[in-house]
Amino acid sequence: LELLEKGQLPSQSLMTQVHTVELILDGIKYILTCTRTGPHIFSIAMAGQEHTFVRTNIRLLSDGGYLIEIGGQSHVAYLTNKGGAATGVRLNIGGKNIVFSPDYDPTSLRTDVAGKLVKKLKPDGSHVRKGEPYGEIEVMKMFLPLKVEETGILNWTINEGATLAPG
Protein backbone atom coordinates (compact mmCIF):
# COMPACT_ATOMS: atom_id res chain seq x y z
CA LEU A 1 0.00 0.00 0.00
CA GLU A 2 2.91 2.36 0.72
CA LEU A 3 4.13 2.04 -2.88
CA LEU A 4 0.65 2.76 -4.25
CA GLU A 5 0.41 5.87 -2.04
CA LYS A 6 3.64 7.08 -3.68
CA GLY A 7 2.22 6.41 -7.15
CA GLN A 8 4.43 3.35 -7.73
CA LEU A 9 3.38 -0.13 -8.75
CA PRO A 10 4.70 -2.90 -6.51
CA SER A 11 6.34 -5.97 -8.00
CA GLN A 12 4.09 -8.85 -9.07
CA SER A 13 5.32 -10.99 -6.13
CA LEU A 14 4.21 -8.34 -3.63
CA MET A 15 0.77 -8.13 -5.21
CA THR A 16 0.14 -11.84 -4.66
CA GLN A 17 -2.07 -12.09 -1.59
CA VAL A 18 -2.14 -15.89 -1.11
CA HIS A 19 0.97 -18.05 -0.59
CA THR A 20 1.36 -21.75 0.11
CA VAL A 21 4.09 -22.54 2.66
CA GLU A 22 5.49 -25.99 3.43
CA LEU A 23 7.17 -26.51 6.81
CA ILE A 24 8.54 -29.71 8.36
CA LEU A 25 8.61 -29.86 12.16
CA ASP A 26 9.56 -33.02 14.07
CA GLY A 27 9.21 -35.11 10.91
CA ILE A 28 5.67 -33.89 10.13
CA LYS A 29 5.07 -31.82 6.99
CA TYR A 30 2.59 -28.97 7.37
CA ILE A 31 1.20 -27.25 4.29
CA LEU A 32 -0.19 -23.83 5.15
CA THR A 33 -2.13 -21.30 3.13
CA CYS A 34 -1.22 -17.75 4.16
CA THR A 35 -3.52 -14.96 2.95
CA ARG A 36 -2.73 -11.28 3.40
CA THR A 37 -5.97 -9.51 4.30
CA GLY A 38 -4.57 -6.12 5.31
CA PRO A 39 -1.32 -4.16 5.57
CA HIS A 40 -0.19 -6.18 8.63
CA ILE A 41 -2.95 -8.79 8.91
CA PHE A 42 -2.67 -12.39 7.71
CA SER A 43 -4.97 -15.40 7.85
CA ILE A 44 -3.16 -18.72 8.19
CA ALA A 45 -4.91 -22.04 7.52
CA MET A 46 -3.96 -25.65 6.87
CA ALA A 47 -4.08 -26.27 3.12
CA GLY A 48 -7.49 -27.60 2.15
CA GLN A 49 -9.09 -26.22 5.32
CA GLU A 50 -9.19 -22.51 4.47
CA HIS A 51 -12.53 -22.11 6.30
CA THR A 52 -10.72 -22.77 9.62
CA PHE A 53 -7.95 -20.22 10.08
CA VAL A 54 -5.98 -18.15 12.56
CA ARG A 55 -5.84 -14.39 12.07
CA THR A 56 -2.55 -12.72 12.99
CA ASN A 57 -1.16 -9.21 13.02
CA ILE A 58 2.56 -8.94 12.18
CA ARG A 59 4.70 -5.83 12.55
CA LEU A 60 8.37 -5.39 11.72
CA LEU A 61 10.50 -4.25 14.67
CA SER A 62 13.39 -1.80 14.36
CA ASP A 63 15.92 -4.53 15.26
CA GLY A 64 14.78 -6.78 12.38
CA GLY A 65 12.49 -8.96 14.47
CA TYR A 66 8.74 -9.33 14.20
CA LEU A 67 5.99 -8.58 16.70
CA ILE A 68 3.30 -11.20 16.12
CA GLU A 69 -0.15 -10.97 17.71
CA ILE A 70 -2.27 -14.14 17.70
CA GLY A 71 -5.41 -14.61 19.76
CA GLY A 72 -4.79 -11.55 21.91
CA GLN A 73 -1.23 -12.61 22.83
CA SER A 74 1.93 -10.98 21.48
CA HIS A 75 5.16 -12.78 20.65
CA VAL A 76 8.52 -11.48 19.44
CA ALA A 77 10.08 -13.59 16.69
CA TYR A 78 13.43 -13.52 14.90
CA LEU A 79 14.42 -15.36 11.76
CA THR A 80 17.88 -16.58 12.81
CA ASN A 81 18.57 -18.68 9.71
CA LYS A 82 16.70 -18.41 6.40
CA GLY A 83 18.03 -21.82 5.65
CA GLY A 84 18.30 -23.64 2.43
CA ALA A 85 17.97 -27.12 1.07
CA ALA A 86 20.54 -28.46 3.55
CA THR A 87 19.80 -26.55 6.76
CA GLY A 88 16.12 -25.67 6.87
CA VAL A 89 14.67 -22.60 8.62
CA ARG A 90 15.49 -21.57 12.20
CA LEU A 91 13.28 -19.16 14.20
CA ASN A 92 13.49 -17.76 17.70
CA ILE A 93 10.00 -17.13 19.08
CA GLY A 94 9.65 -15.79 22.61
CA GLY A 95 13.21 -16.93 23.43
CA LYS A 96 12.66 -20.51 22.20
CA ASN A 97 14.44 -21.87 19.12
CA ILE A 98 12.32 -23.68 16.55
CA VAL A 99 13.99 -25.52 13.68
CA PHE A 100 12.05 -26.51 10.59
CA SER A 101 13.77 -29.36 8.76
CA PRO A 102 14.69 -29.10 5.10
CA ASP A 103 12.47 -30.97 2.67
CA TYR A 104 13.73 -34.46 1.91
CA ASP A 105 13.94 -35.14 -1.82
CA PRO A 106 15.57 -38.49 -2.67
CA THR A 107 15.70 -37.57 -6.38
CA SER A 108 18.28 -34.88 -5.70
CA LEU A 109 21.72 -35.80 -4.34
CA ARG A 110 23.13 -33.21 -1.94
CA THR A 111 26.16 -32.53 0.21
CA ASP A 112 26.25 -30.92 3.66
CA VAL A 113 29.50 -29.07 2.97
CA ALA A 114 30.85 -26.88 0.18
CA GLY A 115 33.56 -28.41 -1.95
CA LYS A 116 34.71 -29.35 -5.43
CA LEU A 117 33.60 -32.51 -7.24
CA VAL A 118 36.92 -34.20 -8.02
CA LYS A 119 35.81 -37.62 -9.22
CA LYS A 120 32.70 -39.38 -10.47
CA LEU A 121 32.80 -42.92 -9.10
CA LYS A 122 29.72 -44.07 -11.07
CA PRO A 123 28.88 -43.29 -14.71
CA ASP A 124 25.71 -41.50 -15.77
CA GLY A 125 22.72 -43.85 -15.89
CA SER A 126 24.21 -46.43 -13.53
CA HIS A 127 22.16 -48.20 -10.86
CA VAL A 128 23.23 -47.22 -7.32
CA ARG A 129 22.24 -48.67 -3.96
CA LYS A 130 21.54 -46.81 -0.70
CA GLY A 131 24.80 -45.92 1.10
CA GLU A 132 26.97 -46.56 -1.97
CA PRO A 133 29.56 -43.85 -2.84
CA TYR A 134 28.92 -42.21 -6.22
CA GLY A 135 31.52 -39.40 -6.17
CA GLU A 136 34.29 -37.68 -4.24
CA ILE A 137 34.54 -34.05 -3.21
CA GLU A 138 37.52 -32.07 -2.01
CA VAL A 139 36.90 -30.05 1.14
CA MET A 140 39.84 -28.14 2.69
CA LYS A 141 42.43 -30.51 1.11
CA MET A 142 40.50 -33.59 2.27
CA PHE A 143 38.70 -36.00 -0.04
CA LEU A 144 35.27 -37.12 1.13
CA PRO A 145 32.92 -39.65 -0.47
CA LEU A 146 29.44 -38.66 -1.59
CA LYS A 147 26.99 -41.43 -0.75
CA VAL A 148 23.56 -42.18 -2.18
CA GLU A 149 20.67 -41.75 0.27
CA GLU A 150 18.24 -44.00 -1.63
CA THR A 151 18.52 -46.75 -4.27
CA GLY A 152 17.98 -45.52 -7.83
CA ILE A 153 19.45 -44.53 -11.19
CA LEU A 154 22.19 -41.86 -11.20
CA ASN A 155 21.89 -38.93 -13.62
CA TRP A 156 24.79 -36.46 -13.52
CA THR A 157 23.99 -32.78 -14.13
CA ILE A 158 27.47 -31.41 -13.28
CA ASN A 159 31.01 -32.22 -14.39
CA GLU A 160 34.14 -33.06 -12.46
CA GLY A 161 35.77 -29.87 -11.18
CA ALA A 162 32.44 -28.17 -10.47
CA THR A 163 32.04 -26.32 -7.18
CA LEU A 164 29.27 -27.67 -4.94
CA ALA A 165 27.39 -25.58 -2.43
CA PRO A 166 25.84 -27.12 0.68
CA GLY A 167 22.35 -28.38 -0.03
Side-chain angles (χ1 to χ4, degrees), residues 2-44:
E2 295 166 7
L3 290 173
L4 291 174
E5 289 170 357
K6 295 178 185 177
Q8 300 172 348
L9 281 177
S11 70
Q12 194 71 2
S13 64
L14 290 176
M15 294 179 70
T16 302
Q17 300 297 312
V18 179
H19 294 278
T20 300
V21 179
E22 295 181 2
L23 299 170
I24 300 173
L25 183 63
D26 297 329
I28 300 171
K29 186 175 200 175
Y30 298 93
I31 302 173
L32 307 174
T33 301
C34 302
T35 306
R36 186 175 197 157
T37 58
H40 305 283
I41 301 170
F42 295 84
S43 295
I44 303 170

Side-chain angles (χ1 to χ4, degrees), residues 119-129 132-136 146 148 154-156 160:
K119 188 174 184 182
K120 294 179 180 179
L121 300 176
K122 299 286 182 178
D124 193 46
S126 63
H127 183 45
V128 289
R129 288 174 284 139
E132 186 176 359
Y134 64 92
E136 286 183 354
L146 294 171
V148 177
L154 181 64
N155 292 311
W156 287 102
E160 290 179 351

Side-chain angles (χ1 to χ4, degrees), residues 30-163:
Y30 298 93
I31 302 173
L32 307 174
T33 301
C34 302
T35 306
R36 186 175 197 157
T37 58
H40 305 283
I41 301 170
F42 295 84
S43 295
I44 303 170
M46 298 295 285
Q49 300 178 13
E50 283 75 15
H51 60 279
T52 305
F53 60 89
V54 174
R55 180 161 285 139
T56 181
N57 189 342
I58 302 174
R59 300 220 179 244
L60 183 63
L61 299 174
S62 61
D63 63 358
Y66 299 92
L67 180 62
I68 302 171
E69 183 267 322
I70 298 176
Q73 295 183 337
S74 294
H75 308 275
V76 176
Y78 294 93
L79 180 63
T80 56
N81 183 7
K82 282 188 179 180
T87 59
V89 176
R90 184 180 307 263
L91 298 172
N92 182 296
I93 301 175
K96 295 180 182 178
N97 286 315
I98 300 170
V99 180
F100 293 100
S101 304
D103 199 6
Y104 175 69
D105 181 5
T107 65
S108 179
L109 300 174
R110 305 172 190 274
T111 176
D112 293 336
V113 294
K116 181 171 77 171
L117 179 65
V118 292
K119 188 174 184 182
K120 294 179 180 179
L121 300 176
K122 299 286 182 178
D124 193 46
S126 63
H127 183 45
V128 289
R129 288 174 284 139
K130 182 177 180 174
E132 186 176 359
Y134 64 92
E136 286 183 354
I137 62 170
E138 180 182 356
V139 179
M140 297 174 50
K141 307 289 183 198
M142 295 183 298
F143 293 93
L144 303 172
L146 294 171
K147 295 184 179 180
V148 177
E149 294 180 14
E150 298 291 338
T151 300
I153 305 295
L154 181 64
N155 292 311
W156 287 102
T157 58
I158 59 171
N159 294 318
E160 290 179 351
T163 302

